Each structure stands twice: as C-alpha cells, then as structure tokens.
Amino acid sequence: MVKRSISVDGGRRGSIDPHADAALAKMGYASELPRNLSMLSVLGMSFAIMAVPFGLSTTMYITLTDGQSVTILWGWVLVSLISLCIAASLAEICAVYPTAGGVYYWSAMLSTREWAPIASWVTGWLTLVGNWTVTLSINFSGGQLILSAISLWDEDFVPTTWQTILMFWAVMLICMSVNIFGAKYLDLINKICIYWTATSVIVILITLLSMADNKRSGAFVFSHYDASASGWPSGWAFFVGLLQAAYTLTGYGMVAAMCEEVQNPEREVPKAIVLSVAAAGVTGVIYLIPILFVLPDVQMLLDVANGQPIGLLFKTVTGSAGGGFGLLFLILGILFFAGIGALTAASRCTYAFARDGAIPGSRLWKKVDKRFDIPLWALVLSTAVDCLLGLIYFGSSAAFNSFTGVATICLSTSYGMPILVSVLRGRRAVANSTFSLGKFGYAINVAMLGWICLAVILFCMPVSLPVEAAKMNYASVVFAGFALISLAWYFIRGRKNFTGPPVPKDVAPGEEVVVPGMATVESNYDRNGDVEQKVLQETAGPTVSGKKSS
C-alpha cells in the first residue's frame, strides 16, 4: 500500500504561518490562500455578517406583529444566550479542526469512517445553502432599505418589483466587486466595521433619546406584550417572533470558512466566534432599548408599504426627512459591511466544498485566482445563485420571509450536525480541545440541539395569520428545492465518488503521520478506532515494529 504524501506549499504569497500550513496538510489539504487576517479581523467579519442594527431594523416588522416590546427585547436576550452556547459548542470543535470546510469538515472528522461521507455531504449542503441565503437575505433587505429612503421625502412612493430586484442586484454587484478588487483590504474593512457599528449605535441612541417629543414608559419598554396583529395564539406568537433575533444572530459560524486565511487559527478563530456573539448580544440591547422608548404608533409602522419601518421611525422621532435619512445612512453603512462579509464567507464555503468534489462543476469552483489570491469562480457562483434566487420576489411579496427563514434553518441545522455527531460519539474528539466546555459540555450541546429542532419548525411559520399565497413564508419550499438538488447530485455522482474530506487512510494503529513543522498528534485510529480497526484488519499486510509495510 502506498502512503499518502503530504506536502506544505511554503512559496505562496502571504503565507506566513508554517505551523498552521502544516496542520492543514495533516488534515489533508494544501494551503492555497494567504494568511493575512487577524483575530480582530475575523471578529469584525462575524460581527459584520450579523450586522446587529441592520438585521434588527430590517426584520422589525416581525416582532412588531408578534408581541412588540417583550418579543423585541426579551426575545433578543433569550436568543443571544442560546447563540452564545451554540457558538461555544462550535468553537470547541473549531479549535481541534481549523479548516475552511468548517462544520462540513467537522461532521466528517467526528463521524466514523463508514458514516463520514454522508455526514459531511448533508452538513456541507446545509451550510452551503445557508451561506448563500444569508448573503441573499442581507443584500435583498439592503436593496429594500435603500429604496425605503425615497419614501422619507415622497410618502406615496412604492417601489415596483423590478426596481427592488435591480437595486438588490446592484448591491450584490458592489459586494462582489469589493471582494475581488479590494481583497487585500478585507482585513481593514472588517476592522472598520467594528468601529462603524459601535459609533452608529451610540449616535442613534443619543439622537433618538434627545430629539423625541414623546417617550414610552419603562413598563412599556420592558413588559408590554401585544400579539393581536399576528393572528397566532398569544404564547405561540412570541416564539414565531424569535425569527428576528435568530436571523440576526445566525452568521457567526460562517467565519470558520476563514480558518485558512488566519494565523494560529486553532486559537484565534474560536475566540472570534464566541466574542462576536457576545458583542452582538450587548450591541443589540443597547440599540433596542432607545428605539422602544421612542417607538411611534405601531400600526403606522406596520402599514409602511415596503415593509421596512425603520426609516419612518427615524423620520418621526427626528421630525424631518433629512434627520431620518442621516440615521438611516448609518444603518446602510452597516449593510455594506454585512453584504461584503457574508459574500466573502459564502465564497470560501463554496470553494471548500467544491474542493472535495461535492458541487456540480467543482473543478471550476475550487480554483484560486492567483491575481487576486481569492477563489474567484466560487465568488462568482455565490453571487449568481443569489441573484437568481432574488427572482422569487416576482412570485411573492413576502420573499424576504422565505430568505431569512431558510437561511436560519440551514445554518442552524448545519451547526447542529457536528454537535450531534460529537454528542453521539461521547465527545471524545473534543476532550482535549483548547476551547473545552468541560463538564458542562454535554448539557450545553444537548440543550442546543433541542433549540435547533424547535427553530426548524418555528421559522417555516408565516409571521401572521391568515395567510395568502403572496404573503406565505416559502422557506420550506426553498429548503426542499435545494434538498432535492443535493439528493439528485448525490445519486448521480456523490455516492460513487464522494468520500468526504481527505484524511490519511493508511495509518496503522498508533502510527503517526509526520508533517514538517508540525508536532505529532493523535492518529486517525485513536479518533475513529472502531471502523478503522475493521478496515485495517481486512487490508493489513505484514508489519514491522508496529508499522504497516508500504
């Protein structure tokens, strides 16, 4: 049997972490992308993808319908705590397997050899669709928000379907262009996002509280609950309204796709994942409380024709269209950071999955363009898929509900897959993680799996009842469509050729795979000994000194 040769390409532009490159080689991949991102940059990117003020603003109609203050504020606090636990669970695994494949790779490595291909295939498609649709939802709502600015001066303006689609495409094109021609500045862009967001929240807070003629009471802000506009039973409406917070706090796991562009990724990326969720949770509270104190008439906000009430809220409180636009401009700035960051992560996820042959046309999508040092064609594919999905808006005026729902469902379930496999296998692989959850690991993991199951049900629900065809939440339809594509491609090619992420297959029990510059770690047998042992017994030849002969 010939052993796999693993080499490390040290001559690539920008690669300045031989240890991380060697560790990546040990996981079966050559390092092709420059490691020029810092922990602060990845944190900024995660923070940008979640885009708290932007995400909460564009989905505010959901919570105004499904409970108002209690759902808005306490729903946010609840989902922030849940997301922090999920982020910690993912960080624990990321510290062991820091690769651009992210949850897709983790599911395979945590599984037995027998189940690794199907586990990675399912997780990979979930995270791929989740990355695409969260980018879609960010940029689509961004296009809507830009057009809503016109209504600050012309209250009768209602954008046509074509105007909305064209504005969405323009936002996508800008984000793609920045990812191509500004690739070397992504580190700086992600860092600027942190300061822009923090400054925006403070400016909005001060402006709203100082300029509002009328303020709500503390009782309204912290305890008012009214779900009468939803049509749902009062208690259930609260859970349906959690989509606002869950959608906003969804993208943190996407930054695992940047592991191959960070130095010391086993330490820096897990830290960035958890810190970004904590920062987002605090930012959301600071942003929401002032808004609730100055909240105008709720029905007036819900009657906004374009479904984006935040501009009207700003205009009403400041007393002028110019003042409203000034605050809205800060939110639009956050939009572009979010759109750029989400498209970056989506392209890297596409590249990583194509690298293992799991997407039709993988040979093209896995190429790294040496002019820009990015997976250019994966970026183009991600942009094209989102632009095409945006056409759903022609059939449903509530298309944004579908985009947010399917993004939340796919990303949540993709996060749950490696956590589930880890729990089923006794959490052995993460026992020595540098980001260990310790004795609380089981409880946290199981509780998070329960929440993810509930979330899948919740986020297929329409925001309100009764439901018309144009107002329906088509998240389940979009989800089923991609599931059929994945299933069809699996039977066409995957079941014959897809073996999951590359890992050494000829490692005997106790044998080490030595990579220059990398300290030896546990063997494949130690991680998945049950199946590997069976394979070795069937294929092993004579051994010398405990090692299989080549």
Side-chain angles (χ1 to χ4, degrees):
M1 179 178 285
V2 179
K3 296 186 179 183
R4 173 195 294 263
S5 62
I6 303 178
S7 62
V8 180
D9 179 7
R12 199 180 55 266
R13 287 174 288 173
S15 181
I16 51 178
D17 191 346
H19 180 276
D21 288 353
L24 184 64
K26 199 173 189 64
M27 288 185 280
Y29 297 109
S31 184
E32 297 181 280
L33 300 171
R35 295 185 181 274
N36 52 16
L37 299 181
S38 64
M39 188 281 288
L40 186 63
S41 176
V42 177
L43 189 156
M45 181 178 173
S46 179
F47 197 62
I49 294 171
M50 288 185 281
V52 174
F54 172 75
L56 290 175
S57 297
T58 55
T59 54
M60 186 169 290
Y61 72 94
I62 296 174
T63 42
L64 290 176
T65 303
D66 292 310
Q68 299 178 27
S69 297
V70 168
T71 308
I72 291 173
L73 182 58
W74 299 115
W76 173 261
V77 172
L78 173 62
V79 176
S80 293
L81 294 174
I82 292 171
S83 299
L84 193 62
C85 292
I86 297 176
S89 298
L90 295 180
E92 183 181 45
I93 301 172
C94 183
V96 180
Y97 304 116
T99 173
V103 290
Y104 142 75
Y105 184 91
W106 305 340
S107 290
M109 295 301 287
L110 293 168
S111 298
T112 62
R113 176 77 64 201
E114 182 180 2
W115 289 97
I118 190 64
S120 58
W121 183 276
V122 172
T123 308
W125 272 94
L126 286 171
T127 194
L128 180 66
V129 175
N131 274 258
W132 283 343
T133 51
V134 81
T135 306
L136 165 64
S137 60
I138 288 170
N139 290 330
F140 189 88
S141 61
Q144 289 181 312
L145 198 61
I146 292 171
L147 290 172
S148 75
I150 299 174
S151 63
L152 295 178
W153 286 274
D154 181 4
E155 294 183 1
D156 296 326
F157 173 76
V158 178
T160 65
T161 303
W162 264 113
Q163 287 172 329
T164 303
I165 293 294
L166 289 174
M167 182 58 72
F168 159 61
W169 284 350
V171 174
M172 287 296 306
L173 183 61
I174 291 171
C175 292
M176 184 180 74
S177 299
V178 173
N179 266 281
I180 296 174
F181 303 107
K184 62 182 178 181
Y185 301 112
L186 288 178
D187 183 72
L188 177 62
I189 291 171
N190 292 334
K191 290 175 182 175
I192 291 174
C193 171
I194 299 175
Y195 299 107
W196 179 282
T197 304
T199 302
S200 298
V201 170
I202 293 171
V203 170
I204 291 171
L205 181 154
I206 294 173
T207 304
L208 292 181
L209 293 180
S210 62
M211 296 190 69
D213 294 328
N214 300 300
K215 293 185 177 68
R216 302 278 191 170
S217 66
F220 177 89
V221 172
F222 296 103
S223 61
H224 175 74
Y225 185 78
D226 180 5
S228 58
S230 71
W232 290 108
S234 182
W236 185 249
F238 171 80
F239 290 101
V240 174
L242 293 180
L243 175 59
Q244 180 193 36
Y247 161 67
T248 305
L249 290 168
T250 286
Y252 50 86
M254 293 169 64
V255 296
M258 309 308 295
C259 279
E260 294 175 29
E261 296 171 63
V262 180
Q263 297 182 56
N264 302 313
E266 72 284 350
R267 182 182 71 242
E268 304 298 347
V269 176
K271 193 189 305 180
I273 291 173
V274 174
L275 287 178
S276 65
V277 175
V282 173
T283 302
V285 171
I286 297 172
Y287 179 69
L288 289 172
I289 289 179
I291 285 180
L292 291 174
F293 267 113
V294 302
L295 194 70
D297 179 67
V298 173
Q299 192 57 50
M300 176 185 72
L301 297 177
L302 289 175
D303 288 341
V304 173
N306 57 24
Q308 296 293 341
I310 193 66
L312 178 59
L313 187 153
F314 288 157
K315 176 183 176 181
T316 303
V317 174
T318 60
S320 69
F325 180 75
L327 297 182
L328 187 63
F329 178 78
L330 298 174
I331 302 296
L332 292 175
I334 296 172
L335 148 70
F336 282 102
F337 287 117
I340 292 166
L343 188 56
T344 303
S347 66
R348 301 313 191 264
C349 173
T350 304
Y351 156 77
F353 204 33
R355 190 167 56 180
D356 292 323
I359 307 174
S362 289
R363 290 183 180 180
L364 179 62
W365 316 129
K366 71 179 181 180
K367 289 182 179 179
V368 175
D369 190 289
K370 296 304 180 183
R371 292 171 297 172
F372 305 107
D373 271 337
I374 61 170
L376 179 60
W377 288 107
L379 178 66
V380 171
L381 176 64
S382 301
T383 304
V385 168
D386 282 351
C387 287
L388 291 174
L389 284 175
L391 297 177
I392 292 174
Y393 190 62
F394 283 112
S396 171
S397 59
F400 179 56
N401 294 353
S402 305
F403 303 152
T404 56
V406 76
T408 307
I409 290 168
C410 286
L411 286 180
S412 296
T413 49
S414 73
Y415 298 163
M417 282 293 290
I419 297 174
L420 174 63
V421 175
S422 179
V423 168
L424 291 177
R425 303 211 69 205
R427 289 175 42 84
R428 291 195 300 273
V430 297
N432 298 315
S433 171
T434 55
F435 206 95
S436 176
L437 298 179
K439 61 182 179 181
F440 299 106
Y442 268 115
I444 292 174
N445 289 170
V446 171
M448 293 310 97
L449 291 171
W451 158 255
I452 290 169
C453 291
L454 176 62
V456 171
I457 298 171
L458 287 176
F459 304 143
C460 288
M461 301 288 179
V463 172
S464 60
L465 299 175
V467 181
E468 301 172 357
K471 299 289 185 180
M472 181 60 186
N473 182 351
Y474 289 100
S476 56
V477 178
V478 177
F479 181 83
F482 276 112
L484 287 175
I485 294 173
S486 170
L487 186 64
W489 186 243
Y490 181 77
F491 281 105
I492 292 172
R493 181 179 179 123
R495 64 193 178 100
K496 296 179 180 178
N497 302 314
F498 182 76
T499 58
V503 292
K505 296 183 179 180
D506 55 351
V507 181
E511 183 182 3
E512 303 288 358
V513 178
V514 179
V515 179
M518 176 67 185
T520 58
V521 296
E522 64 174 351
S523 68
N524 228 28
Y525 170 79
D526 293 331
R527 185 184 64 253
N528 293 326
D530 47 355
V531 176
E532 273 77 3
Q533 186 175 29
K534 179 177 70 176
V535 174
L536 286 164
Q537 288 174 346
E538 294 173 354
T539 61
T543 60
V544 179
S545 301
K547 294 187 179 182
K548 193 190 309 181
S549 58
S550 299

